[in-house]
Amino acid sequence: MSEALFGVTVDSYLLTVLAGVVELYFHFQLLTDLSHIAGNYACPQEGKLLTLRTVYTVAATLSLLSLPWEDWLAVAVAVMLTGVAAALWICKTLFSFRRSLAEGAAGAKKTG
């Protein structure tokens, strides 16, 4: 299916893939940077953020591929559930990371 965008006909799958690539890059870089920040502040979430970043990236990349998912329904469901689980675990880890940073700042104020 093609759509006109600014007078140019563009395939909607191409737009979906382009948006997916931008989203993947943004999340990959954000989680990488947050992991480095966690390492700089000696927070225990550093390694977990890198692992979750990789799991989420693989699941999101697989979901963007133009594969016959109807034929591989079990794999499609597994990829989807893995991506959702990774996203939820990322949220949990980021809340934990925020608490670790707050505790570190509170400890620094008491000793400083």
Side-chain angles (χ1 to χ4, degrees), residues 11-76:
D11 186 18
S12 62
Y13 177 72
L14 179 64
L15 286 177
T16 300
V17 169
L18 183 60
V21 168
V22 170
E23 181 246 345
L24 277 173
Y25 174 77
F26 176 80
H27 285 114
F28 187 89
Q29 193 61 50
L30 176 67
L31 292 171
T32 300
D33 292 344
L34 288 172
S35 175
H36 288 298
I37 292 169
N40 290 341
Y41 287 94
C43 293
Q45 294 82 8
E46 178 184 14
K48 191 180 287 187
L49 284 170
L50 289 175
T51 301
L52 290 169
R53 172 206 66 187
T54 304
V55 170
Y56 180 79
T57 301
V58 169
T61 301
L62 287 173
S63 70
L64 285 173
L65 295 177
S66 179
L67 297 174
W69 292 112
E70 307 84 35
D71 298 339
W72 300 341
L73 189 58
V75 174

